[in-house]
Amino acid sequence: MNDVTDHQRTCVSEWFRELHGRICKAFEALEGCHEGGPFAERSPGRFALRKTRRRDSDSDGEGRGAGGGLTAMLRTGRVFEKVGINVSTVHGRLGDEARKSLTSRREIPGLSEDPRFWASGVSLVAHLNSPRVPAVHMNTRMFWTPGATWFGGGMDLNPAVENPEDAAAFHRALKAMCDRHDSGYYSRFRAWADEYFLIRHRGEPRGAGGIFFDDLASGDWDADFAFTRDVGQSFLAAYMPIVDLRRNEDWSEDERELQLIRRGRYAEFNLLYDRGTRFGLFTGHDPDAVLMSMPPLASWP
């Protein structure tokens, strides 16, 4: 039996709630202090909060469960065009499609006989007004079944106008964070991100990369949770200096069109390959919350 205590579950879900609130406050603070540029006349962007629920399905093979969370949406701000930040804790029984999506990566002991699960996490996607400021994604999560418990997550930078300096600064911050826990984590999880965030049907990366990890179960639950917390804590330090550096730069209509095309690529990846999107829809979570990562506007050449 995979032994995770109620206290541990509570610590995890409370941490994700705290992180959710911390990032919302930081983004709103930036909206409030931003001046100049083409959107300065707008009111500072604020998050609208909405409770979400996991659908309690019938016993038709699609699973039964409960729980939910909170989705925070910021739209048409001075800096951010659209930001979605979700936090949720859900539990129940996994249906056939959800079990397939989990076991396609590795065998999970006893899952076919006992499909119970518990999961908690926070996820974020930010799309910017300026094509000079890169979009960003971050998520961290814990997943429990009777046969296994693991952590996962990561973050990646998605620029429209590529700037090697921004990518280098982002990766330096990620390496410093990873090195606090294990000297091998950064190279391992950076390579995993390059593999995972590949738009396979186009043979091109989704962006400038970052880190990605899944199935993290070293045997030391406290150490794995500490690393997962540090990923979330490091997000603002890794990303916000880039926003501050680029948010007042002038940009052209050609760069805006490039941004919309890159957003189209982003949408293709999330709908076709993203594990979190697929799992959320397969397990009956609020579809609007699951699809909060979709850009407000996109284009295809």
Side-chain angles (χ1 to χ4, degrees), residues 33-294:
C33 72
H34 181 74
E35 297 178 350
F39 306 109
E41 76 284 356
R42 291 179 177 174
S43 298
R46 292 291 182 264
F47 284 99
L49 303 179
R50 181 174 64 86
K51 290 183 178 180
T52 61
R53 299 295 299 175
R54 179 172 182 260
R55 186 179 67 244
D56 189 3
S57 304
D58 295 327
S59 54
D60 57 359
E62 292 306 310
R64 178 180 293 276
L70 193 66
T71 186
M73 296 295 302
L74 185 157
R75 300 178 188 272
T76 59
R78 295 173 173 175
V79 178
F80 300 102
E81 188 171 2
K82 179 186 176 186
V83 182
I85 311 178
N86 288 340
V87 62
S88 65
T89 298
V90 296
H91 58 90
R93 299 173 67 83
L94 294 169
D96 292 341
E97 290 298 326
R99 289 200 301 271
K100 288 177 184 177
S101 71
L102 290 178
T103 56
S104 64
R105 307 193 306 272
R106 66 182 177 106
E107 186 65 29
I108 299 175
L111 190 62
S112 58
E113 294 82 17
D114 187 349
R116 287 178 297 146
F117 82 99
W118 181 97
S120 186
V122 62
S123 61
L124 172 154
V125 174
H127 297 286
L128 284 294
N129 286 320
S130 169
R132 293 256 171 176
V133 185
V136 72
H137 153 263
M138 186 277 294
N139 78 86
T140 53
R141 59 190 175 276
M142 175 186 147
F143 204 96
W144 172 92
T145 71
T149 296
W150 64 93
F151 291 90
M155 65 183 92
D156 69 304
L157 202 65
N158 297 272
V161 178
E162 295 186 10
N163 190 309
E165 293 178 3
D166 294 347
F170 188 72
H171 280 277
R172 280 196 303 272
L174 295 185
K175 185 178 187 304
M177 180 274 297
C178 288
D179 286 350
R180 290 195 289 267
H181 299 269
D182 188 304
S183 61
Y185 273 1
Y186 173 71
S187 58
R188 174 185 168 193
F189 297 153
R190 176 175 182 169
W192 201 343
D194 290 343
E195 177 186 358
Y196 179 72
F197 294 116
L198 178 68
I199 307 173
R200 293 193 288 274
H201 61 281
R202 293 187 180 274
E204 62 185 44
R206 189 172 82 169
I211 60 170
F212 178 85
F213 67 100
D214 208 354
D215 306 327
L216 181 62
S218 68
D220 186 336
W221 188 92
D222 290 328
D224 294 343
F225 183 32
F227 173 69
T228 303
R229 288 199 309 271
D230 210 2
V231 172
Q233 289 176 148
S234 299
F235 166 71
L236 291 173
Y239 180 61
M240 294 299 269
I242 299 172
V243 180
D244 277 335
L245 183 64
R246 303 298 173 195
R247 61 189 168 96
N248 288 313
E249 292 184 349
D250 293 332
W251 46 272
S252 69
E253 287 303 315
D254 286 344
E255 289 172 334
R256 172 61 170 173
E257 181 58 29
L258 178 61
Q259 181 189 45
L260 296 180
I261 291 172
R262 293 305 308 167
R263 287 179 176 181
R265 300 287 202 269
Y266 194 96
E268 290 175 19
F269 176 89
N270 277 27
L271 292 173
L272 290 172
Y273 306 120
D274 186 71
R275 293 177 184 174
T277 301
R278 293 168 62 84
F279 182 83
L281 295 176
F282 286 156
T283 55
H285 201 56
D286 185 315
D288 290 329
V290 173
L291 296 173
M292 62 84 181
S293 61
M294 293 295 100

